[in-house]
Amino acid sequence: MSSASFSQANELPAWKTLQSIYDTEGKSLSVKEQFEKDPERFNKFSHTFKNHDGSEILFDFSKNIINDDIKQALVKLAKEANVEQLRDAFFKGEHINFTEDRAVYHVALRNQSNVPMKVDGQDVMPEVNSVLEHMKEFSNQVRSGEWKGYTGKAITDIVNIGIGGSDLGPVMVTEALKAYAQKGLNVHFVSNIDGTHIAEELRHCDPETTLFLVASKTFTTAETTTNANSAKKWFLEKAKDESHIAKHFVALSTNADEVAKFGIDTKNMFGFENWVGGRYSVWSAIGLSVCLYIGYDNFVDFLKGAEAVDKHFTSAPLEENIPVLGGLLSVWYNNFFGAQTHLVAPFDQYLHRFPAYLQQLSMESNGKSVTRSNEFVKYSTGSILFGEPATNSQHSFFQLVHQGTKLIPADFILAAQSQNPIENNLHQRMLASNFFAQAEALMVGKPQETVKAEGAPDNLVPHKIFLGNRPTTSILAQKITPAALGSLIAYYEHVTFTEGAVWNINSFDQWGVELGKVLAKVIGKELDNKDKIESHDQSTNSLINQFKNWA
């Protein structure tokens, strides 16, 4: 699609309609009153997604600051912003990442229906299926104990060395699906260049039974290769013979020359194409740690869950399209209410890394300020996404959400069925009671008359008032299975896509990641000696020189 075919979002007629609605009624719309007026509100603004295995996830948008007119105007905005056309181009393998002249085709990685999916006229599915078959064969060998280390012992520990999408996705998914892990097989993740990270993880490992996955497409990523070389040195201190590296290191990469130089057998190299962005790579060979940990069949179920959302996203009318509605609500709050943040609070300990994963997905994708037409945007983009698991987070930042001066739209996520139903499911019932109560409290608040009726002294009444009308989306799954997790991730991927499409930005490059890396290489060489530095600004020079004195 031509970048010239897109306008600034605030120039679209529907945007102006929304601004008018916000000015006249939207900013003062009471969600509580809307429920009182419309007994069908919940049914009207909630949608149930049915997965491929028959399980369901309920998305309740009814506690958001919307009514029929606002929803209609938001859907019209999506149509005027060409969301449908861009989505279709995305799924056709067109080069929608125009600044890097690439397709964005991670959806092909979860195409379990195996329909042809083409990039530049070439069906990518044979290669996708070949990598999956390689992952199946290798994971079965490791999990069964057939794959042996250099002393003949089976693998007990897997260490994934990567950074960014090569780390955040696998970390989050292995934590979220820990209940499906094979007993006796442990996973560790090393991403930070801080030596403490690799040192602490390797304390738990034995070179004889440890398998390293080095995750770097180019095999030149500075942090990853530095950590990989430190891991190799640690391994060889005991193994001695470099030929043993082939039994303990595999590469998730496409650079066969560098992989071979490192000592890894290129037969144990798992590749992926340049249309797989880092933050979307958990579905690819980068997900090998997931596949090893939970098994190939569960990994396929994970892919199928995402594929089911892809099918919904590409076929459901915008008015009923769950990810589109989620993305449009984000635009509504960001651009009309001035909300700068978005809270995601999973009521599930296994999902404790889910917000961190979504931070990269959302903020790396939509932290942009130039449109597809190469103009600076005239409106806010890219919400600051944050979150922690509840109920812990209720005792930290929820105070700000309830009574602070900022509007913070929130997503709450809960599974009806716990993976660990201890104490006759008491814990899960307590967790659920908080999930329901927090969303209700944020909506209804606590007015002055209620506070007074409870006997609060006059001087404390203002402090105990809750204004309410704080928007939440409640996402209730039956259980967090591999399929359900795949669906949740795909939902947020397409929410992010919808936001970017409306804002008319390229959600798929990440030039902002590069500048700091380039400067770090220059400074890195300057740190190799004790010479005084004078080549930077006064502050940077002084900091570098003080570091050299203390290091």
Side-chain angles (χ1 to χ4, degrees), residues 48-51 53-59 476-479 484:
T48 301
F49 170 74
K50 184 165 282 192
N51 221 318
D53 58 2
S55 64
E56 296 179 337
I57 303 175
L58 173 61
F59 292 81
L476 180 62
Q478 285 182 273
K479 191 173 187 177

Side-chain angles (χ1 to χ4, degrees), residues 20-30 34 67 69-70:
S20 176
I21 292 173
Y22 173 79
D23 291 339
T24 55
E25 59 172 317
K27 61 185 175 185
S28 57
L29 187 77
S30 166
Q34 292 297 307
N67 58 20
D69 290 342
I70 293 167

Side-chain angles (χ1 to χ4, degrees), residues 105-119 122-133 273 275 303 307:
Y105 225 31
H106 50 274
V107 291
L109 300 167
R110 57 226 197 187
N111 173 27
Q112 288 294 299
S113 303
N114 211 29
V115 297
M117 296 185 76
K118 296 181 179 180
V119 172
Q122 184 79 30
D123 185 6
V124 304
M125 291 315 299
E127 179 62 22
V128 168
N129 291 330
S130 173
V131 173
L132 275 173
E133 190 59 34
E273 299 297 328
W275 40 257
L303 299 179
E307 181 192 28

Side-chain angles (χ1 to χ4, degrees), residues 8 50 59 115 140 151 186 206 219 229 268 283 296 298 316 351 398 400 411-412 475 485 520 523 533 541:
Q8 291 264 4
K50 184 165 282 192
F59 292 81
V115 297
N140 285 344
T151 60
N186 307 303
D206 181 340
F219 222 76
N229 279 305
N268 301 325
W283 317 104
Y296 181 77
N298 282 324
L351 290 176
F398 265 52
L400 179 65
D411 294 354
F412 292 164
I475 302 173
L485 181 66
I523 294 174
I533 297 300
N541 287 335

Side-chain angles (χ1 to χ4, degrees), residues 261-301:
K261 277 185 202 172
F262 187 89
I264 295 174
D265 187 340
T266 53
K267 290 178 186 174
N268 301 325
M269 190 173 87
F270 298 78
F272 47 100
E273 299 297 328
N274 71 355
W275 40 257
V276 181
R279 54 193 175 277
Y280 303 98
S281 62
V282 72
W283 317 104
S284 72
I286 292 295
L288 182 60
S289 57
V290 178
C291 190
L292 286 161
Y293 194 51
I294 66 173
Y296 181 77
D297 290 344
N298 282 324
F299 185 73
V300 167
D301 214 31

Side-chain angles (χ1 to χ4, degrees), residues 130-318:
S130 173
V131 173
L132 275 173
E133 190 59 34
H134 191 190
M135 291 170 70
K136 178 182 181 180
E137 177 188 27
F138 183 72
S139 61
N140 285 344
Q141 285 178 331
V142 173
R143 288 167 60 84
S144 69
E146 180 186 344
W147 182 282
K148 299 286 196 298
Y150 74 97
T151 60
K153 295 179 181 178
I155 298 299
T156 59
D157 291 87
I158 296 157
V159 180
N160 187 93
I161 300 175
I163 199 166
S166 300
D167 173 76
L168 285 166
V171 168
M172 182 273 290
V173 175
T174 52
E175 285 295 302
L177 299 178
K178 191 175 281 188
Y180 296 85
Q182 176 168 301
K183 294 280 188 285
L185 192 60
N186 307 303
V187 286
H188 312 267
F189 293 88
V190 174
S191 56
N192 201 332
I193 196 62
D194 183 342
T196 297
H197 201 181
I198 192 166
E200 285 295 337
E201 292 305 320
L202 293 183
R203 286 191 216 287
H204 307 287
C205 300
D206 181 340
E208 294 182 34
T209 57
T210 299
L211 175 71
F212 292 93
L213 314 181
V214 184
S216 171
K217 185 183 288 187
T218 62
F219 222 76
T220 57
T221 307
E223 298 93 338
T224 300
T225 53
T226 300
N227 279 325
N229 279 305
S230 295
K232 181 166 75 169
K233 184 178 179 183
W234 172 86
F235 173 75
L236 289 174
E237 280 176 1
K238 185 169 184 180
K240 308 298 182 188
D241 187 344
E242 292 205 2
S243 67
H244 295 326
I245 290 171
K247 295 178 182 177
H248 290 266
F249 285 78
V250 303
L252 315 180
S253 179
T254 56
N255 191 337
D257 290 343
E258 288 299 321
V259 167
K261 277 185 202 172
F262 187 89
I264 295 174
D265 187 340
T266 53
K267 290 178 186 174
N268 301 325
M269 190 173 87
F270 298 78
F272 47 100
E273 299 297 328
N274 71 355
W275 40 257
V276 181
R279 54 193 175 277
Y280 303 98
S281 62
V282 72
W283 317 104
S284 72
I286 292 295
L288 182 60
S289 57
V290 178
C291 190
L292 286 161
Y293 194 51
I294 66 173
Y296 181 77
D297 290 344
N298 282 324
F299 185 73
V300 167
D301 214 31
F302 172 64
L303 299 179
K304 286 181 177 178
E307 181 192 28
V309 170
D310 293 340
K311 289 178 177 177
H312 169 83
F313 181 57
T314 53
S315 63
L318 297 189

Side-chain angles (χ1 to χ4, degrees), residues 391-416:
T391 55
N392 286 10
S393 54
Q394 292 173 198
H395 294 266
S396 55
F397 55 73
F398 265 52
Q399 170 64 42
L400 179 65
V401 182
H402 277 283
Q403 287 187 304
T405 58
K406 296 174 173 61
L407 181 77
I408 303 175
D411 294 354
F412 292 164
I413 304 170
L414 175 73

